[in-house]
Amino acid sequence: MRKYIKNGMAVLGLLAGGILLGTSTTANAALTPSSSQPTANMVDVSSWQSNLTAANYQTLAQNGVTAVTIKASEGTGYTNPYLLQQVQYAQQAGLSVNFYHFVHFTSVAQAQAEAQQFINSVKSVTSSTNVVMVADFESSELAGVSKAQNDANLAAFDTALNQAGYNKTDLYTMASWLGVHIDTNTTNQGWIADYPGTPTGNKYPNANAWQWASDYRFPSIAQNLDVSQMNNSYYLNSGTVTPSNNGTGGSSSSSSSSASSASSASSASSSSTSSKNSKNKGSVVLVPGPSAGKQYSAARSASVRLVWRSAMGQHYYTTTKGARYSKHLGTRYGYNADLPDVTWVTDAHEKLYKKNTGKYAIYYHVKSTVGNHGGWIWRGYLTSGSN
């Protein structure tokens, strides 16, 4: 991967992308397709590959590439300026689109801040959450941190992504760093970089993918590219990542087909009240939290009757009590205690009659300030907050 493009670090980035990375020496001559080589079915790109055209992406697809992982961000202040274009070209070619973030964090707090930069960057081009979000772990300062601390930092980074609705994460790193500076785990099975001079076979079958070359040439593309062999379907099936067309990286108003299915109840509950999020440019698609906490109860849904429902103004609340539900309470999206630091913003309210008690209750429809969580919460659980 060639990622450093700021802070005067371009030369170091080139080294990290093709010379320092991996456990074997990179071949001097560019590699071309051969039946003896590992499969080249995933490519990763950053601003270094901004010159690739829409036709080039079509060529990748025609030559066996099925997934592309695009650099979205780095640190806490950088977003790839070509991100929107690269997402559009990859999507037009029918490729599964995923994203990576070049990390610098050396503490939990920094990891959380960088996760937010990653989230914001990806949200600037798509509302889909059914994508793989990769921590690109290769920056030199990380080698000076203990493995235990790096593991803890990565866990905090992933937790922040999960809380924002991104449930597919992975770790990209060089083979020589595994078990020395960072560990893979069941959540991050790994995307491992190792560049043999004569690549064959499959060196890391338990990882999600093996990046085996950074100097691969596809037909009619006069540029070396990073290529990887995927060992499973983890980087596939990302659904339809529909980017915006405003040319400035604004959020899409459409989620992936899979994400849309997963959030249909929430979307339905807010269809008449969805609006532009003033803090996050673009249309907000309200989705529930991590799917692991989602649960449907027909009995709960049947226990209430709608009295009225209408839009309401924005008010800010916090809570760690209760849970978030679909409009008839049938689907529970997640417990509020799992998101203790979220500020909730109202946009609608409803009055329900509870058949089992004979009492009425007011529920507010809320969304998080960045629009990645939403649902209906009983008014009594909400505590007024300021924005």
Side-chain angles (χ1 to χ4, degrees):
M1 290 186 180
R2 287 170 284 277
K3 308 164 198 70
Y4 277 103
I5 64 170
K6 59 172 188 165
N7 299 333
M9 304 181 78
V11 174
L12 179 58
L14 286 169
L15 292 174
I19 298 175
L20 297 181
L21 208 55
T23 59
S24 303
T25 304
T26 303
N28 293 324
L31 296 171
T32 54
S34 167
S35 60
S36 65
Q37 295 170 348
T39 304
N41 53 12
M42 182 164 70
V43 169
D44 58 271
V45 298
S46 68
S47 64
W48 292 99
Q49 290 79 36
S50 62
N51 60 312
L52 293 180
T53 65
N56 291 151
Y57 281 84
Q58 296 288 341
T59 296
L60 296 179
Q62 292 163 7
N63 284 273
V65 175
T66 54
V68 61
T69 303
I70 304 172
K71 179 177 180 178
S73 52
E74 178 176 342
T76 57
Y78 172 78
T79 296
N80 174 7
Y82 300 95
L83 181 58
L84 177 64
Q85 172 184 290
Q86 291 171 326
V87 168
Q88 289 175 325
Y89 288 171
Q91 183 64 52
Q92 290 164 10
L95 302 178
S96 183
V97 178
N98 305 286
F99 301 95
Y100 74 85
H101 172 87
F102 193 94
V103 308
H104 293 283
F105 51 70
T106 58
S107 69
V108 166
Q110 290 174 359
Q112 293 168 334
E114 290 197 25
Q116 193 59 55
Q117 176 67 25
F118 193 14
I119 292 165
N120 292 344
S121 297
V122 171
K123 277 185 167 293
S124 75
V125 294
T126 178
S127 58
S128 173
T129 56
N130 186 34
V131 294
V132 182
M133 300 284 276
V134 183
D136 180 1
F137 197 91
E138 59 178 290
S139 189
S140 59
E141 71 265 37
L142 304 174
V145 180
S146 71
K147 181 165 72 74
Q149 185 62 57
N150 279 332
D151 286 345
N153 296 344
L154 180 60
F157 182 80
D158 287 343
T159 295
L161 296 178
N162 295 159
Q163 290 178 344
Y166 298 96
N167 297 313
K168 295 177 70 176
T169 62
D170 206 4
L171 166 69
Y172 170 91
T173 194
M174 61 201 82
S176 60
W177 277 32
L178 283 177
V180 178
H181 300 300
I182 192 69
D183 294 315
T184 54
N185 52 47
T186 55
T187 301
N188 301 317
Q189 291 183 214
W191 175 13
I192 311 305
D194 187 356
Y195 305 158
T198 305
T200 58
N202 186 358
K203 296 190 67 173
Y204 304 97
N206 294 324
N208 288 319
W210 167 32
Q211 187 187 76
W212 53 270
S214 65
D215 55 353
Y216 191 89
R217 290 285 182 97
F218 287 90
S220 76
I221 299 178
Q223 181 174 352
N224 292 354
L225 294 174
D226 296 343
V227 292
S228 298
Q229 174 174 272
M230 293 183 290
N231 296 327
N232 51 46
S233 62
Y234 193 66
Y235 283 82
L236 299 175
N237 307 316
S238 290
T240 302
V241 175
T242 308
S244 69
N245 293 311
N246 60 13
T248 60
S251 294
S252 167
S253 61
S254 300
S255 64
S256 71
S257 57
S258 296
S260 294
S261 175
S263 62
S264 59
S266 178
S267 297
S269 70
S270 59
S271 61
S272 63
T273 59
S274 61
S275 61
K276 296 286 183 178
N277 185 328
S278 60
K279 293 179 174 295
N280 187 39
K281 293 180 180 179
S283 297
V284 172
V285 175
L286 297 180
V287 297
S291 58
K294 186 175 178 180
Q295 186 179 72
Y296 176 75
S297 169
R300 186 171 56 232
S301 179
S303 71
V304 299
R305 174 174 56 82
L306 177 67
V307 179
W308 54 258
R309 181 183 300 125
S310 64
M312 68 180 294
Q314 289 189 342
H315 302 280
Y316 297 85
Y317 295 95
T318 59
T319 186
T320 56
K321 299 178 181 179
R324 300 177 305 285
Y325 296 94
S326 59
K327 59 184 176 180
H328 289 297
L329 309 188
T331 301
R332 184 178 65 221
Y333 298 137
Y335 291 102
N336 297 323
D338 294 334
L339 300 172
D341 300 321
V342 169
T343 296
W344 300 105
V345 187
T346 60
D347 60 12
H349 54 168
E350 67 179 11
K351 185 175 183 178
L352 300 177
Y353 173 71
K354 296 197 170 184
K355 301 174 185 177
N356 57 340
T357 64
K359 296 182 179 180
Y360 295 89
I362 301 294
Y363 280 76
Y364 286 171
H365 186 268
V366 300
K367 61 179 180 290
S368 60
T369 53
V370 295
N372 53 336
H373 294 280
W376 295 83
I377 300 176
W378 177 51
R379 181 175 61 180
Y381 285 144
L382 296 168
T383 301
S384 295
S386 59
N387 184 51

